[in-house]
Amino acid sequence: MANPVLPSSGALSPLGLDAVRLSPGFWGDRVALNREVTIAHCQEWMEREGWIGNFRGERPRRGREFSDSEIYKLLEAMAWAGHPELPALAETVARAQEGDGYLNTRWSGSRYTDLEWGHELYCYGHLIQAGVARLRTHGPDQLTEVAVRAADHVCRRFMDDARTCGHPEIEMALVELYRATGAERHLEMARRFVERRGLPALGEIHLGRAYFQDDLPVRRAPVLRGHAVRALYLACGAVDVAVETGDEELLKAVEAQWERTVARRTHLTGGMGSRHADEAFGDDYELPPDRAYAETCAGVASVMLSHRLLLATGDARYADLAERTLYNVVAASVALDGRSFFYANPLAVRVPAEPRTGVAGHAVGGGLRSPWFDVSCCPNNIARTLASLAAYVATGSGGDVQIHQYTPGEIRQGELTLRVETGYPWSGGVRVRVLTGGSGRISLRVPAWATGATLRYGDSEAGRLVEPGYVGVERDWRAGEEVWLELPMAARWTYPDRRIDALRGCAAVERGPLVYCAESVGDEPPLAELAVVPASPAERPSEGTVELEVEGVAGSPDSDAWPYGSQPDGAPYRWPAGGSGTALRLIPYHRWGNRGPATMRVWLPVADAVHPVPEPEPEGDAHGTSPGSRSFS
């Protein structure tokens, strides 16, 4: 089956690219753009930067110590997409492999001398995943042979070693190779890598052992911490090991870590990672909007983890988070033309970036996507994720089908063939039409936000209310029968937990699975001078999307005013003539940054926190307030 994750057991059985075919729509269009534009874009840049040339022995070697992994991610994307350039690129890689299976263009001659930072095993992980993708979409060939030889080399070298890699990744790759080939040594090697981390298995670094999750064994960790991508990849590997070995204790440990991380360390968009310095999770409720890192790769990894936990448990909350992250991190990262990317995904940008063209950079904010980065993990991660996206849509066993992500397309499972028709996420109607019939249960996910959703099927004219979770209909289906799910799509205001210091006094707007933001380009009103009135947003259809309009309060704070005051809701701002009303346009967060350098805010100060400030005497303190002042937080 053409699927990146194929567990041997679990609550749900995935359907792969051979059973789910996407049609034009929100995700179908992006998958097609990825196949036709983004994959070639990534390959062109890696040739230009010399990273592919490293495998040809070109000197000096170019790129970071982990640049080999980017070629492997590209190969995986090509495998899922059926890209014609794969064989030639795979041959280039194969020629660089050494006789014992070792393959690394940076460390050959000084193998495994820097496991903390060298990324050798991390690179193998991506190579193995590319090999598995090729095996499941094509069958054995040169790339699959290279991947198996590399995995066998790792088993010989590290089975009885006490160390592991500073960047987790190989764990889930080895489990997937075991699932594809049945070779027990690969599962055992993955299990040992998971179990030895935190004993410790690595040396000291200046960022501390928590940076690469070597401070505690996986089973004892209460929450995901340290470098966000590393933490999420390790959790994916731990779930895979737990499922294949029947280790319920390990699975429950990761479930608990996910739950606390989502409750206390995850941004509204689903983004994970609050700290730029070490690309790491912050402490509980440390979720600043402007300093949010929310790396694109962490978004991809979060989707991977949520999907694994969904397959293992069948719990809808994992599909809910995957949906949130797909629409608001993965979709946000890549530009509408498929040729530039965000590395980080902050929830506020105060100063527009300076335009850069034709050069690789490492800017992580500022409202401009880059065509490439000196650390270009994100574009290739996006490419492989979109190329395999159909595998995240549905699961099935026997005659039953469960639909988790809504996008137009066809699903085949057993005797049933279903066509999904929907304008989601812009409209809430999801119609599932039976093309070929059979006995079974068709289940649909009702997102947690969808209070008031209705389900209709058969000859029923009125839908019945359904609760968040999964709702299903079981019967002998005939061709032409339909199931309708209607999800309420009215825009809604969202307020943060008061323990999130950076967001007090603010609100955000969501509609369906989408987070919205205000964007200011060029001479549009500065966002720092706006607050909002949380009345019902007005919908404004625009170019096949839905924009929103909310009531705002505009003013220009006196730059000389003392920014603190005695009002309980916040510091006094000096609004001229008490401020003025304005209509504030909100766009889907995933579309921001496509009009040029911009400022942006997801979380907006709430104007109902504005209260009159007592007028001081004319001779009052220079740090006091003045007539006409208002305060808001």
Side-chain angles (χ1 to χ4, degrees), residues 338-554:
R339 291 185 170 91
S340 60
F341 313 86
F342 282 143
Y343 189 104
N345 296 275
L347 281 72
V349 171
R350 297 176 182 271
V351 180
E354 292 294 328
R356 295 166 58 95
T357 58
V359 295
H362 196 60
V364 294
L368 281 179
R369 295 171 178 85
S370 176
W372 204 246
F373 305 94
D374 51 6
V375 176
S376 237
C377 47
C378 299
N380 300 293
N381 234 348
I382 287 290
R384 70 177 184 138
T385 301
L386 290 177
S388 59
L389 189 68
Y392 294 86
V393 169
T395 56
S397 59
D400 297 344
V401 178
Q402 303 86 34
I403 303 176
H404 310 287
Q405 306 300 337
Y406 297 124
T407 184
E410 290 188 6
I411 300 169
R412 290 186 294 104
Q413 167 60 21
E415 297 178 336
L416 286 175
T417 302
L418 309 177
R419 176 179 293 152
V420 179
E421 299 173 357
T422 180
Y424 199 75
W426 313 115
S427 61
V430 180
R431 178 168 67 176
V432 180
R433 176 178 294 178
V434 178
L435 299 183
T436 61
S439 298
R441 183 178 185 84
I442 299 174
S443 297
L444 305 175
R445 179 178 60 89
V446 180
W449 51 262
T451 302
T454 59
L455 184 76
R456 175 167 57 88
Y457 63 93
D459 298 327
S460 173
E461 295 183 1
R464 62 181 176 91
L465 283 173
V466 290
E467 297 295 324
Y470 286 99
V471 58
V473 180
E474 186 170 7
R475 60 190 296 171
D476 292 330
W477 296 99
R478 299 187 306 273
E481 290 188 305
E482 297 178 349
V483 178
W484 275 91
L485 177 66
E486 192 66 40
L487 301 172
M489 299 298 284
R492 60 193 185 276
W493 288 95
T494 298
Y495 298 89
D497 189 298
R498 289 183 177 273
R499 290 169 288 187
I500 306 175
D501 297 329
L503 301 179
R504 289 197 194 107
C506 293
V509 178
E510 299 179 85
R511 182 181 183 275
L514 302 179
V515 173
Y516 277 69
C517 68
E519 179 187 52
S520 179
V521 179
D523 59 358
E524 294 176 350
L527 297 180
E529 299 175 10
L530 293 172
V532 292
V533 177
S536 297
E539 295 191 0
R540 300 284 186 261
S542 174
E543 299 178 354
T545 70
V546 176
E547 296 182 352
L548 303 174
E549 191 174 279
V550 297
E551 182 182 352
V553 176

Side-chain angles (χ1 to χ4, degrees), residues 308-328:
R308 283 166 164 80
L309 290 170
L310 172 68
L311 296 178
T313 68
D315 194 325
R317 61 181 179 163
Y318 299 119
D320 283 350
L321 184 66
E323 176 183 72
R324 177 177 294 274
T325 310
L326 283 167
Y327 278 107
N328 301 297

Side-chain angles (χ1 to χ4, degrees), residues 187-420:
L187 175 60
E188 178 60 17
M189 185 73 263
R191 187 191 69 79
R192 294 191 187 192
F193 277 144
V194 169
E195 295 290 5
R196 67 180 55 152
R197 190 173 293 270
L199 294 182
L202 293 159
E204 292 284 354
I205 60 170
H206 68 285
L207 294 170
R209 291 189 181 278
Y211 173 79
F212 40 42
Q213 299 74 49
D214 199 38
D215 55 327
L216 290 170
V218 174
R219 297 172 189 274
R220 289 175 45 202
V223 68
L224 299 182
R225 71 264 179 246
H227 187 278
V229 180
R230 284 170 163 86
L232 289 159
Y233 279 174
L234 177 61
C236 286
V239 171
D240 288 339
V241 167
V243 167
E244 295 307 319
T245 61
D247 192 333
E248 286 294 326
E249 179 190 59
L250 181 58
L251 179 61
K252 292 296 183 184
V254 179
E255 288 185 74
Q257 293 163 19
W258 182 94
E259 186 169 357
R260 180 167 175 175
T261 300
V262 171
R264 304 184 181 200
R265 301 187 175 192
T266 301
H267 295 280
L268 181 65
T269 56
M272 293 188 178
S274 298
R275 296 180 178 176
H276 285 236
D278 48 1
E279 300 184 313
F281 288 100
D283 294 326
D284 288 352
Y285 306 108
E286 181 186 342
L287 295 165
D290 50 347
R291 294 299 293 168
Y293 201 67
E295 184 184 341
T296 295
C297 284
V300 168
S302 174
V303 172
M304 293 166 63
L305 176 58
S306 292
H307 184 61
R308 283 166 164 80
L309 290 170
L310 172 68
L311 296 178
T313 68
D315 194 325
R317 61 181 179 163
Y318 299 119
D320 283 350
L321 184 66
E323 176 183 72
R324 177 177 294 274
T325 310
L326 283 167
Y327 278 107
N328 301 297
V329 179
V330 173
S333 174
V334 61
L336 295 178
D337 67 359
R339 291 185 170 91
S340 60
F341 313 86
F342 282 143
Y343 189 104
N345 296 275
L347 281 72
V349 171
R350 297 176 182 271
V351 180
E354 292 294 328
R356 295 166 58 95
T357 58
V359 295
H362 196 60
V364 294
L368 281 179
R369 295 171 178 85
S370 176
W372 204 246
F373 305 94
D374 51 6
V375 176
S376 237
C377 47
C378 299
N380 300 293
N381 234 348
I382 287 290
R384 70 177 184 138
T385 301
L386 290 177
S388 59
L389 189 68
Y392 294 86
V393 169
T395 56
S397 59
D400 297 344
V401 178
Q402 303 86 34
I403 303 176
H404 310 287
Q405 306 300 337
Y406 297 124
T407 184
E410 290 188 6
I411 300 169
R412 290 186 294 104
Q413 167 60 21
E415 297 178 336
L416 286 175
T417 302
L418 309 177
R419 176 179 293 152
V420 179

